Amino acid sequence: MILGLGEYLSLATILFGIGAIGFLVRRNVLIQLMSIELMLNAVNVVLVAVNRFHPDNHAGQLFAFFVIAVAAAEVATGLAIVIALFRLKKSVDTDQAASLKH
Amino acid sequence: MSSSTLLFCVCAFFALAGAVGTVSARRPLRAAMALLAHIVALAGLYLTLHAQLLAAIQLLVYAGAIVVLFVFVIMLIGPASETSGSGRAGMVRMTSLVLMGMVTVTIAFAIVDTDPAAPRLPAGYGDVEGVGGALYTQGLVPFEIISITLLVAIIGAVAVARGKTAVEKQIEAKEKARAEVEARLGEGAAPAPAE
């Protein structure tokens, strides 16, 4: 068996799907944030894998690098919002976060 | 089976197991540990793709910073970080699970046969010199923008997560006391003309 691009792409698809399912099904905001991380990581795998099969430049790896940086920023603000939400509601259940519901 | 295929299989297994563990864990701390396993496995996958620098960055940023941040927040929130059951109807959850699973599996099977010939890698592909050179020539402007983004995110995180300081609490308490006194005076003053 020789590894091709297809194996990486389908692995990344499945990882993205697991992340999306976690985001849709779970109600715990911490686990939803982790699911977002799973999805971002799956996209990174696609970028790096495609770059490996078109290695004229490093565009895919650069993009993955920027995705990692943006993910770090996203987690920092996201977790700050989780803490603020917990202070307000004493819960991390997203069903409780209905303050903007009219 | 070559060593890189073996590494791919091991890393793919742990990446999948970590992802499933993250999504299905009841306790957020276990989910964070499964996320850690997932991230380390992905770093191994990057190694099979000749992205050594990216594998190192993945370990440093994700395993070293993001997972630790998650663990800190879980410890800060304490036992309440575990939510009991789901308020949402089981039907909705099952539907989203089944639909998303079907879409995912379909795409994964459709895509698995795309096999372009693996081209010969140019010298310096994926190492610190190659990626660093591309980062500071091709990606210089996004790189600078990313640094500003991170700065803004830090300030935003501090502003959002920060509680009230002691001085602010004192001011608030004084205002509350004053409002109470005024309300009492108002009550005292209002019935007086009636008597």
Side-chain angles (χ1 to χ4, degrees):
Chain A
M1 176 186 159
I2 298 162
L3 280 182
L5 182 57
E7 280 81 15
Y8 286 100
L9 292 188
S10 57
L11 173 71
T13 310
I14 293 171
L15 291 177
F16 188 94
I18 293 172
I21 287 172
F23 183 77
L24 291 172
V25 171
R26 295 301 299 261
R27 299 287 90 196
N28 189 329
V29 65
L30 285 165
I31 293 188
Q32 283 187 325
L33 268 178
M34 290 184 207
S35 300
I36 294 174
E37 292 307 307
L38 291 184
M39 290 192 275
L40 287 167
N41 269 325
V43 173
N44 274 350
V45 172
V46 173
L47 289 170
V48 176
V50 172
N51 198 177
R52 164 69 183 80
F53 287 84
H54 297 90
D56 312 324
N57 54 29
H58 284 96
Q61 292 197 19
L62 281 190
F63 214 93
F65 174 83
F66 292 130
V67 170
I68 290 176
V70 171
E74 174 254 328
V75 162
T77 40
L79 285 174
I81 292 172
V82 170
I83 291 174
L85 176 73
F86 179 73
R87 207 174 266 143
L88 198 67
K89 298 280 182 187
K90 300 292 171 220
S91 164
V92 289
D93 193 341
T94 44
D95 283 341
Q96 306 281 319
S99 304
L100 290 181
K101 215 176 184 179
H102 63 92
Chain B
M1 192 185 265
S2 68
S3 63
S4 90
T5 311
L6 186 69
L7 184 59
F8 172 81
C9 291
V10 172
C11 289
F13 172 76
F14 278 105
L16 284 171
V20 171
T22 305
V23 166
S24 63
R26 179 140 212 87
R27 294 164 185 267
L29 197 59
R30 289 198 184 145
M33 290 302 113
L35 185 66
L36 184 62
H38 172 81
I39 283 160
V40 173
L42 281 197
L45 275 184
Y46 291 162
L47 284 182
T48 68
L49 288 166
H50 297 271
Q52 297 92 335
L53 179 63
L54 213 59
I57 290 173
Q58 169 92 356
L59 284 181
L60 282 176
V61 175
Y62 267 102
I66 292 182
V67 173
V68 171
L69 204 58
F70 268 113
V71 171
F72 272 148
V73 169
I74 291 166
M75 289 197 300
L76 195 65
I77 289 177
S81 63
E82 191 179 343
T83 52
S84 60
S86 159
R88 186 182 269 205
M91 196 63 196
V92 178
R93 293 174 56 181
M94 278 312 288
T95 312
S96 57
L97 199 157
V98 169
L99 284 181
M100 201 63 225
M102 272 161 52
V103 170
T104 302
V105 170
T106 311
I107 295 176
F109 270 105
I111 221 169
V112 76
D113 284 334
T114 45
D115 266 338
R120 178 179 289 277
L121 291 176
Y125 176 80
D127 65 5
V128 179
E129 197 183 340
V131 180
L135 192 59
Y136 287 113
T137 52
Q138 254 186 300
L140 186 59
V141 175
F143 185 77
E144 297 299 337
I145 293 174
I146 277 292
S147 59
I148 298 172
T149 306
L150 283 170
L151 181 68
V152 171
I154 293 168
I155 296 171
V158 171
V160 172
R162 175 186 83 110
K164 293 193 177 85
T165 59
V167 177
E168 281 173 331
K169 275 182 188 163
Q170 269 181 357
I171 292 171
E172 206 166 72
K174 269 184 192 164
E175 278 176 359
K176 205 175 173 188
R178 189 182 300 152
E180 272 177 18
V181 168
E182 277 172 4
R184 206 173 301 149
L185 283 179
E187 273 174 26
E195 281 176 2

